[in-house]
Amino acid sequence: MRAPLNASATTAGSLLAGATFQIPAYQRDYAWDDAEVAEFWNDISHAVEQGPYFLGLIILTGEEKRKQVVDGQQRLLTLTLLAAALRHAAVSIGRKALADRIYSNLLRSMDYSTDEMVPRIILTDTKADEALQSIVDHDRVDSDLLSKGSSAEHLWSAYQYLRDRLRQEGGHEGFRQLGAWAEFINEQLYVAVFEHPDEAAAYSVFEVVNTRGRQLTTADLLKNFVLRETPATMREARYAQWHQTSGQFQQLGGQNFVQYIRHVINLSAGYVLPKDLYNYIARRGEFALAKEMSIDKLMEQLQTNLPLYLQMIDPTLDGPAEADALGIFAALNELRVSAVRPLLLAISGTDDAVLGMQQVLRLIVKRIIVGNLGASSVERKFAEAAHAVYQYGSWHPGIDILRDLDHPRRDFISVLGRRSYNRDVLTFIRRSIVCSSITPKPIGTLQYLRPRQSVPNWSEFSDDYIASLGSTVGNTILVNIDRRPRGANSWEGVRQHLLSQAVDGEITSPLQEYSSWTPDSVQEVSSILAEAAADVWC
């Protein structure tokens, strides 16, 4: 029979004094920033004078004395850092007895078989654990442990904040205040503890808690699940594997990593909503009967596709993509289209992959110009196309799924000649015209011939016209300077100071022939440029 779940309330001091703890590999790194540590400090520092305070829920598992922390590690570690700051403060003012009591009750435990003092809390991350123990014992951390954004750096920063606040608020009453803090932690700072020897049972409580609030990110939950499903003997290697993969996205933002996981899942599963990603991988709810992808297979797919996917995000990186494919990636980034990446991953494994990617790029640009690329509906279509390509090993079925993105040349010309677009789209289309290429070089800066803001000397244009049609392709030019030159605040000024800065290949001669710049002029030039763009894209 399964052991029952043990739920109890106790003080933080009793919890720390009664056991030792390990933060397992499947937990997220210590990540509290100054704002979160400040909130922790403000809450409990006020409570020191006012009475009991509830710190929150701690979920534990394990049958040995050293318990595994399933949830609550951020609070436990921050409390440990506070205890370390109290201990060092006590040493500094000569309260040796208090310092020793804090050390033995809250920070260290004696191994009675060896007389060794062992840490109350140890971390799986070697550098983070070394930093934590150095803080506890020595009030410092070696600089080589403090890589930017690392758990060790967050621990050191949090400790410094707590140590400084204790110094600021201690004043002449430091002797008495330190004793009050120690008494508060041991007797009035409460936690609720859920403990179960069965890891799966403890983890189920953790999931209920963390899916009803915003405590963990999707990336945290996924890592927890992947490592929990990994055999214990393989967890250390899997932990390193996960961090090596997720670390590639550290400078790109956490959601890029989650998006990458979902895009890889799209290959074998088709479209999976962002909100359903965790449930799909964990086979929960409506996905309980879905075709299973093992954790080993998932990790294999994540590692296999990673180099190419990183090049999709940053085409300057080294990787397997050839030059033509990198140009397509750069074009899609310029257009801010990331939802197509699972389809590109699928196409990359087919014959004539670059040709298939070019077809996709053409369809996307046609849809952007004539209609609206949309969001979830087109993302779903890209995922379905990726799944079809992945299944059949050819990019043609994927293109067939996307056929409704296509538009005839006449529609392309008609709409481009009279519609406003955002600066990114205008810049990309103008570059494609100048370079006569669907993967143009990143040349020039886009300038509006008649500025978008309200300025004098342009009486031919009403405010309503500029608001609705000021961003048409005919009112733009690519120039070799980053800022609009002085004096280009009238049409004569544009002819003298702006057209001379145009990139090679721009239509400066026809523009010079206009004695004035009017809405009719914009329409004429828009029509000319729309024809030129159609020659590239249609």
Side-chain angles (χ1 to χ4, degrees):
M1 180 177 177
R2 244 185 182 186
L5 179 69
N6 177 25
S8 63
T10 187
T11 66
S14 297
L15 176 67
L16 289 171
T20 54
F21 308 89
Q22 179 172 15
I23 310 300
Y26 56 77
Q27 280 286 7
R28 61 175 170 172
D29 296 334
Y30 184 79
W32 272 13
D33 57 23
D34 286 349
E36 290 165 306
V37 178
E39 182 179 4
F40 172 90
W41 166 266
N42 290 334
D43 287 347
I44 64 174
S45 62
H46 292 149
V48 170
E49 301 295 336
Q50 297 173 1
Y53 181 80
F54 177 60
L55 187 59
L57 174 67
I58 308 295
I59 303 176
L60 306 173
T61 189
E63 297 182 345
E64 304 300 325
K65 184 176 181 181
R66 187 170 290 281
K67 305 299 182 183
Q68 302 286 307
V69 181
V70 175
D71 193 29
Q73 66 130 326
Q74 307 286 325
R75 282 162 288 146
L76 277 180
L77 285 172
T78 307
L79 181 62
T80 298
L81 295 174
L82 175 59
L86 289 169
R87 182 225 174 192
H88 292 304
V91 169
S92 70
I93 63 172
R95 293 201 63 177
K96 184 177 184 304
L98 177 62
D100 289 346
R101 178 61 63 90
I102 292 172
Y103 189 72
S104 61
N105 281 5
L106 306 180
L107 300 171
R108 292 289 184 261
S109 173
M110 176 177 282
D111 182 337
Y112 290 103
S113 64
T114 64
D115 286 348
E116 180 185 5
M117 297 298 288
V118 297
R120 290 283 175 188
I121 298 181
I122 60 175
L123 309 177
T124 301
D125 184 306
T126 305
K127 287 189 175 182
D129 188 62
E130 188 175 342
L132 176 64
Q133 309 316 329
S134 182
I135 288 169
V136 169
D137 287 333
H138 308 298
D139 190 31
R140 66 175 186 272
V141 177
D142 291 342
S143 59
D144 60 349
L145 296 175
L146 303 177
S147 57
K148 186 173 178 57
S150 67
S151 179
E153 183 188 50
H154 282 290
L155 286 164
W156 177 235
S157 178
Y159 172 72
Q160 288 179 298
Y161 178 90
L162 296 168
R163 182 186 62 186
D164 292 346
R165 292 306 299 267
L166 278 174
R167 289 173 178 173
Q168 292 168 12
E169 299 198 3
H172 297 297
E173 296 185 353
F175 190 96
R176 185 190 67 81
Q177 188 69 7
L178 290 178
W181 268 105
E183 182 179 12
F184 171 74
I185 292 172
N186 279 289
E187 297 183 10
Q188 299 202 50
L189 182 60
Y190 285 90
V191 292
V193 181
F194 282 67
E195 184 177 352
H196 201 295
D198 179 359
E199 182 179 3
Y203 191 82
S204 67
V205 176
F206 161 82
E207 285 186 341
V208 169
V209 171
N210 284 288
T211 53
R212 291 181 180 173
R214 175 59 180 86
Q215 294 185 17
L216 297 186
T217 66
T218 301
D220 294 324
L221 287 168
L222 289 172
K223 182 182 77 169
N224 292 346
F225 177 78
V226 166
L227 292 171
R228 182 170 69 90
E229 292 296 302
T230 300
T233 56
M234 298 173 58
R235 273 191 194 143
E236 186 173 346
R238 181 58 48 80
Y239 176 79
Q241 184 185 38
W242 181 275
H243 272 263
Q244 189 277 330
T245 304
S246 63
Q248 301 291 323
F249 294 85
Q250 189 170 11
Q251 301 303 317
L252 305 172
Q255 287 307 306
N256 275 289
F257 179 50
V258 175
Q259 183 185 65
Y260 171 58
I261 297 173
R262 192 162 64 90
H263 284 175
V264 169
I265 292 292
N266 287 160
L267 299 180
S268 59
Y271 185 59
V272 176
L273 285 166
K275 69 180 182 66
D276 291 332
L277 179 61
Y278 176 76
N279 284 338
Y280 179 85
I281 291 176
R283 295 297 179 266
R284 301 294 171 84
E286 63 182 289
F287 302 104
L289 300 179
K291 184 178 179 181
E292 183 176 1
M293 174 185 281
S294 69
I295 296 302
D296 288 342
K297 183 65 174 177
L298 172 62
M299 294 304 298
E300 178 189 338
Q301 289 290 319
L302 291 178
Q303 289 193 299
T304 299
N305 289 290
L306 181 62
L308 183 65
Y309 195 88
L310 291 175
Q311 286 186 292
M312 292 181 193
I313 297 174
D314 183 356
T316 67
L317 296 177
D318 187 27
E322 54 186 276
D324 288 340
L326 293 175
I328 294 167
F329 301 161
L332 291 165
N333 287 345
E334 208 172 334
L335 292 167
R336 302 186 185 278
V337 180
S338 61
V340 73
R341 287 174 185 163
L343 178 55
L344 299 180
L345 284 176
I347 290 176
S348 69
T350 66
D351 293 336
D352 298 323
V354 169
L355 180 58
M357 292 181 190
Q358 289 173 341
Q359 295 278 12
V360 171
L361 177 59
R362 288 183 185 277
L363 290 172
I364 287 173
V365 170
K366 288 181 184 180
R367 170 51 65 93
I368 289 173
I369 295 303
V370 177
N372 190 328
L373 194 60
S376 60
S377 61
V378 172
E379 184 182 38
R380 177 184 294 274
K381 193 172 291 290
F382 285 144
E384 291 170 351
H387 183 54
V389 173
Y390 183 78
Q391 277 188 312
Y392 293 104
S394 167
W395 53 262
H396 295 281
I399 298 299
D400 290 339
I401 290 174
L402 301 180
R403 282 299 174 195
D404 65 343
L405 301 184
D406 201 2
H407 295 277
R409 178 186 175 97
R410 65 178 180 276
D411 291 347
F412 184 93
I413 293 172
S414 174
V415 177
L416 179 57
R418 57 181 168 79
R419 179 179 166 187
S420 284
Y421 299 93
N422 66 49
R423 181 179 286 270
D424 291 332
V425 171
L426 286 172
T427 300
F428 180 76
I429 290 298
R430 299 294 273 110
R431 285 172 175 170
S432 73
I433 295 170
V434 170
C435 297
S436 297
S437 171
I438 66 171
T439 55
K441 296 178 181 178
I443 58 172
T445 299
L446 188 84
Q447 285 286 346
Y448 296 101
L449 296 173
R450 193 292 189 191
R452 292 277 297 150
Q453 67 269 32
S454 179
V455 292
N457 305 321
W458 298 91
S459 59
E460 299 88 347
F461 295 88
S462 68
D463 289 343
D464 287 344
Y465 179 91
I466 289 302
S468 61
L469 296 173
S471 296
T472 52
V473 68
N475 193 41
T476 63
I477 189 169
L478 291 174
V479 295
N480 288 313
I481 52 177
D482 293 333
R483 296 183 178 181
R484 193 180 189 89
R486 289 185 177 181
N489 57 355
S490 66
W491 179 242
E492 189 57 36
V494 167
R495 294 169 71 188
Q496 291 182 17
H497 303 292
L498 190 61
L499 297 186
S500 61
Q501 301 294 336
V503 301
D504 291 342
E506 270 290 10
I507 58 168
T508 52
S509 296
L511 291 175
Q512 286 284 8
E513 294 178 2
Y514 285 95
S515 59
S516 63
W517 192 244
T518 67
D520 288 340
S521 308
V522 173
Q523 183 58 60
E524 289 174 7
V525 174
S526 290
S527 297
I528 294 170
L529 292 173
E531 289 278 357
D535 291 341
V536 175
W537 291 102
C538 299

